[in-house]
Amino acid sequence: MIGSLFVTGPAGTGKSTFCAGLKEWLISNDYDAAVVNLDPGSEYIPYDAEVDIRETISLSQIMSEYNLGPNGAQIVAADLLLENADKITRMIKELDDYYVIFDTPGQIELFSFRPGSPILVDRLSGGKAMIAYIADSVIASSPSGYISQKMLFGSVMSRFYKPMLFVLNKTDLISEEEINNIVSWENSPDLLLDAFLEEKQEMVKDYFSSILHAFKESQMVNRIFQVSARDMYGFEDIYGEMSLFFTGGSDTDTMFRDD
Ligand SMILES: Nc1nc2c(ncn2[C@@H]2O[C@H](COP(=O)(O)OP(=O)(O)OP(=O)(O)O)[C@@H](O)[C@H]2O)c(=O)[nH]1
Ligand SMILES: [Mg+2]
């Protein structure tokens, strides 16, 4: 593979739709692309999966075998992913010149916060991995919602320590003014803090001031990728970042590169 993109984020933010849209965009621009579904709990997926974990891991089987409810079974299933890493790797081995997109379980903690997940990412990607964090525009359009998304993004980064894209999906659902606000908050922690103070007068100012400035200074998130997976908007920029990182573009963030 050329490289792999693991798509994570809170439930319902559009991860699977994003995977479908990115695959479609890549193929229509003459790149080879494949999607691997790592969500054993998904009932419907909006793409043709080259590899589908549901053929290997069955939630209902786990529930009856281990006498578990749906949540317990999801956790066992998430941990079984690592046990199946070699099998999945064999299945994607032939995808030489492909960008491989991994769709991950609906609940973010099942992928991003399980102990084996960083190992899983390394094994499936052979080390060539980026992570797309999908945030919902409607949630991110309030200062507190945006801060919560950035903090969750930071948590995911602390788990994987891979190059990450902050994808603001469903931009079709918010106004241009709201998008401009989010971009201005991204560029200025002071503006974000002011907006947050207006929303929640009782918040602990020093705590959040430090956090918001730390995010800015760390350069960990310095760009928002505006996407509407539904409208096929924004995928060119996502591809641009992937191509830069995987094929060695000059202005790629070098923080994570070995070479
Ligand atoms: N308006 C709009 N709706 C979207 C967009 N992307 C996804 N959706 C809708 O959001 C809902 C959830 O999309 P999914 O792609 O299933 O989201 P997900 O994050 O994979 O969901 P889980 O895996 O269940 O957590 C669906 O109804 C999608 O049609 C978008 O860009 N704009
Ligand atoms: Mg999904």
Side-chain angles (χ1 to χ4, degrees):
M1 70 172 74
I2 299 172
S4 45
L5 183 72
F6 289 79
V7 179
T8 187
T13 51
K15 297 178 291 297
S16 301
T17 311
F18 176 89
C19 292
L22 180 58
K23 179 181 176 182
E24 188 184 327
W25 187 91
L26 287 166
I27 289 174
S28 64
N29 284 279
D30 292 332
Y31 302 106
D32 288 326
V35 182
V36 176
N37 176 33
L38 292 182
D39 183 1
S42 55
E43 292 200 350
Y44 164 77
I45 46 174
Y47 47 77
D48 287 329
E50 273 66 21
V51 178
D52 191 338
I53 198 64
R54 293 176 301 178
E55 286 165 16
T56 308
I57 297 174
S58 152
L59 274 187
S60 53
Q61 213 172 320
I62 293 172
M63 281 166 74
S64 57
E65 200 171 308
Y66 295 83
N67 228 350
L68 290 168
N71 291 330
Q74 290 267 18
I75 289 174
V76 172
D79 292 346
L80 280 176
L81 284 178
L82 187 56
E83 282 184 28
N84 283 283
D86 285 343
K87 187 174 173 185
I88 304 169
T89 308
R90 275 197 302 277
M91 288 169 166
I92 56 180
K93 195 170 86 218
E94 275 109 63
L95 303 172
D96 269 355
D97 292 325
Y98 279 65
Y99 286 102
V100 182
I101 306 157
F102 290 87
D103 192 10
T104 69
Q107 296 92 329
I108 188 169
E109 66 273 24
L110 291 175
F111 175 70
S112 291
F113 303 133
R114 296 304 299 163
S117 296
I119 305 166
L120 180 72
V121 165
D122 279 336
R123 285 190 40 199
L124 295 183
S125 68
K128 291 186 286 185
M130 297 180 86
I131 307 226
Y133 175 90
I134 312 292
D136 186 312
S137 289
V138 176
I139 294 171
S141 61
S142 72
S144 61
Y146 182 65
I147 290 170
S148 70
Q149 292 307 301
K150 283 198 71 162
M151 291 174 89
L152 202 45
F153 175 97
S155 300
V156 174
M157 176 170 260
S158 74
R159 296 285 300 144
F160 295 108
Y161 202 63
K162 298 281 182 213
M164 284 186 56
L165 309 177
F166 186 94
V167 177
L168 192 63
N169 187 34
K170 308 192 188 181
T171 49
D172 58 281
L173 294 180
I174 61 172
S175 66
E176 206 170 322
E177 189 189 345
E178 286 171 309
I179 293 178
N180 291 340
N181 278 342
I182 294 171
V183 171
S184 73
W185 297 337
E186 179 61 32
N187 292 329
S188 164
D190 290 327
L191 277 181
L192 177 53
L193 193 66
D194 287 347
F196 190 34
L197 259 173
E198 241 171 72
E199 183 190 342
K200 293 196 186 301
Q201 287 86 5
E202 76 281 14
M203 58 98 161
V204 188
K205 192 174 171 195
D206 291 348
Y207 173 77
F208 284 104
S209 176
S210 306
I211 286 183
L212 300 185
H213 281 91
F215 268 120
K216 181 72 185 162
E217 280 152 25
S218 72
Q219 303 278 310
M220 291 241 169
V221 197
N222 47 21
R223 186 166 171 198
I224 296 173
F225 290 85
Q226 298 174 29
V227 168
S228 168
R230 190 197 69 176
D231 295 351
M232 293 297 292
Y233 171 80
F235 287 115
E236 191 167 355
D237 289 344
I238 303 288
Y239 165 71
E241 277 311 282
M242 290 169 71
S243 149
L244 276 175
F245 185 72
F246 293 129
T247 63
S250 55
D251 55 344
T252 308
D253 183 348
T254 52
M255 185 167 139
F256 299 93
R257 297 180 71 92
D258 294 333
D259 53 354

